Amino acid sequence: MTKKRVRPRYSLWQTELLAQLRRRADEQPDMLTLATNPRREDNKAVTVGIALNTGSIAVVPGGLPLQEREEFLLCLPESPRLPPGVFVQHDRFLGFPHVMLGRVLCVYLDPYREWDPAGGATALLNRLYQWLADAAGAQFDAATALYHAVGGVLHRTEGTPTLVVRDIPSRLATARLAHRSPTRLDVVFGPEAAGDRAPLFFTSHHLPLGATNTLDLLLAVLGHEAQGFLTTLSASAVRNPEGTPQYYLLAIPHPAGGPHHLLGGRLPPATADALRSFGRRHGPAAIQPSMIRQDTKIEWCNMSDERAENTTRRDATRPVNGLLDKTAYIWGCGGLGSWMAEFMVRAGISKITLCDPGTIIGGLLVRQNYTEADIGKDKATALADRLRALSDAVDVTVDSGMGPANVADMLAADIIVDATVSLSVQRDLDALASSPDRRAVIAQVATDARSATLGILHVSAPGNGGTLTSLDESAGAAVMADGSLELYHCLWNSDHADELTPTRGCSAPTFHGSAADVAVVAGTLTSLIGSHLRGTAVSGTHLVASPTAAAGPRHHFLPHDSSDQRQSGLPRSGRPLAGERATAGQPSGS
């Protein structure tokens, strides 16, 4: 009696994909055939071989070398959330862009955005055919191919820390690892660096098959350089403490040229201890690749490669890029100022000085950029701590008190921002605007009292750019006379009924608004300031409205007429400067 053969069980999704593939093969046998029967793998995926007629695809010099008929292995996952994988079972595609480990085709560079399961097998086959046409036509840029220098795959072992690299020397060197947190190590070079030693080793060739996951195989991949790598690894290990892992960095040349690709790995403590014990007894150079036991595990760390030559800032084309490497002075760290300071630091400002004598209370957390742990602290001091936590590169200083300690520093800054509610601050900045020594662009920001969904930005550029008072007067006159700008009339003609007294009996009236409202306005005003710093700054007034504001234009710019230099200090409506500034009791607003 023979045993009854048990048919493999497929998921509904796998069954549907296989049925679609069979239908396509029946409909177009000259283009597609099923080369192998489906097979369920141990990971519950189903693999099936297909053959495509690729004879009509044009192959150009440097393109993927296609034959008349190409065979592929499709790996169908249980769930439609991930696209099927596409593999080849030969090495003819080794080293080509978007061919990972020599055999895995990166058909979907970003599966989350590019894979739609609604298209099923038809969409997959069309995508594969187009990928082959692009590859054969040399349409892929090797310089941007995903992890191309190391086989096209991300090397990371679960549980390892992230290595942060911001610069490396141009040749073999020893780094020190600074422990910033349980999940982060900073890679630092230089004679004054402290921490465990990790060698930086430059390979002479890229690794199209990846860097493997065992030490013996990694040494085999390195070939004739294996002995040099092992010696440098041992030399660092003998100088590091017992019971610690041994880290290393590999700088791998990219086949398209340019900066080396960096890999960070480590030997687990037991392996590192064995290596350092042997090295201390016999010397670091005594260890030979042939002495390494098979299957000696290595671990790969997540890399945060922040080298300037290897990284394009995500905001490089945005207006805030005008703030990159600039210096700023922010007067007022309240509703707008606290958010604008953060946005400036994230934009890469090099130095920022904060001035605000206010103290943080719990009610401010509704909309200002502080936390429960900050209650009772000076605003400027607490904000400075937050900004330093955002960036290692920024220089943050605090000017305590009501005014700047060093006027010369303010005049030499790239941008001065008045985010206070103080008319006296405005007068001080009017005097600075008239100084022949100033190089700083002076800006003043505020919001409306009713909702904090409107924003106003006065920009005074060096060289007769006008004072904040004259800018406000001329803009106010123009806006109040323009019916199409009625949305912004409240910035000059506010009603005290629009204001809020947050705590009965002990707080000055302030504006209504949430953190979400204020952050939107602050972000928009920060971007506009950045746009003035990207080229030649011009003077004028920006009016902005968030999407939740009442109907009206979302942005309007009023260029400043330098011949109009009113100095009365009052807009034509006869009211003080509007919105947050209408309650000019606290330097930073509330």
Side-chain angles (χ1 to χ4, degrees), residues 218-406:
L218 173 60
L219 295 173
V221 167
L222 293 177
H224 69 278
E225 297 173 315
Q227 181 62 62
F229 169 71
L230 199 54
T231 298
T232 59
L233 193 64
S234 179
S236 288
V238 299
R239 291 171 173 81
N240 284 333
E242 293 285 337
T244 61
Q246 176 56 53
Y247 290 85
Y248 55 88
L249 294 114
L250 295 177
I252 302 161
H254 199 286
H260 285 72
H261 184 86
L262 292 181
L263 283 183
R266 72 178 184 183
L267 304 180
T271 303
D273 282 348
L275 181 63
R276 64 175 55 100
S277 177
F278 185 91
R280 286 168 182 165
R281 291 198 310 269
H282 305 287
I287 188 74
Q288 302 293 314
S290 59
M291 299 178 183
I292 302 300
R293 295 173 54 182
Q294 289 186 350
D295 299 327
T296 300
K297 295 294 184 182
I298 55 178
E299 299 173 330
W300 296 107
C301 300
N302 187 43
M303 297 296 297
S304 182
D305 187 349
E306 300 170 21
R307 294 173 294 159
E309 67 271 20
N310 203 48
T311 304
T312 300
R313 287 186 60 96
R314 289 160 172 80
D315 61 0
T317 62
R318 305 305 302 148
V320 292
N321 191 247
L323 293 160
L324 182 65
D325 296 327
K326 297 296 195 301
T327 59
Y329 199 110
I330 293 191
W331 208 333
C333 304
L336 291 175
S338 63
W339 293 108
M340 293 181 71
E342 173 161 338
F343 298 150
M344 287 182 175
V345 169
R346 292 187 184 276
I349 207 154
S350 63
K351 181 178 179 180
I352 187 166
T353 301
L354 307 173
C355 181
D356 194 311
T359 300
I360 301 167
I361 60 174
L364 302 182
L365 304 186
V366 170
R367 65 180 177 220
Q368 296 190 16
N369 194 13
Y370 300 105
T371 69
E372 290 277 358
D374 295 326
I375 293 176
K377 297 179 181 178
D378 295 338
K379 285 188 178 181
T381 301
L383 185 58
D385 290 340
R386 176 169 178 80
L387 300 184
R388 294 185 187 108
L390 291 173
S391 171
D392 289 342
V394 68
D395 178 8
V396 185
T397 58
V398 173
D399 260 355
S400 59
M402 294 289 293
N406 192 323

Side-chain angles (χ1 to χ4, degrees), residues 7 101 103 165 178 200 291 326 380 397 422 460 464 479 486 513 535 571:
R7 297 184 63 186
L101 300 177
R103 296 192 173 191
V165 182
L200 168 66
M291 299 178 183
K326 297 296 195 301
T397 58
S422 172
S460 172
N464 198 26
V479 172
E486 184 178 359

Side-chain angles (χ1 to χ4, degrees), residues 48-62:
V48 59
I50 65 169
L52 286 178
N53 184 341
T54 52
S56 62
I57 295 178
V59 179
V60 304

Side-chain angles (χ1 to χ4, degrees), residues 508-529:
T510 184
F511 64 94
H512 296 262
S514 67
D517 296 320
V518 177
V520 168
V521 173
T524 303
L525 299 180
T526 304
S527 291
L528 290 172
I529 288 173

Side-chain angles (χ1 to χ4, degrees), residues 187-203:
V187 178
V188 184
F189 294 90
E192 298 180 357
D196 292 346
R197 293 170 172 82
L200 168 66
F201 188 83
F202 287 79
T203 71

Side-chain angles (χ1 to χ4, degrees), residues 44 269 409 472:
K44 299 183 180 180
D409 285 347
D472 191 74

Side-chain angles (χ1 to χ4, degrees), residues 124 148 188 562:
L124 170 67
H148 191 212
V188 184
S562 61

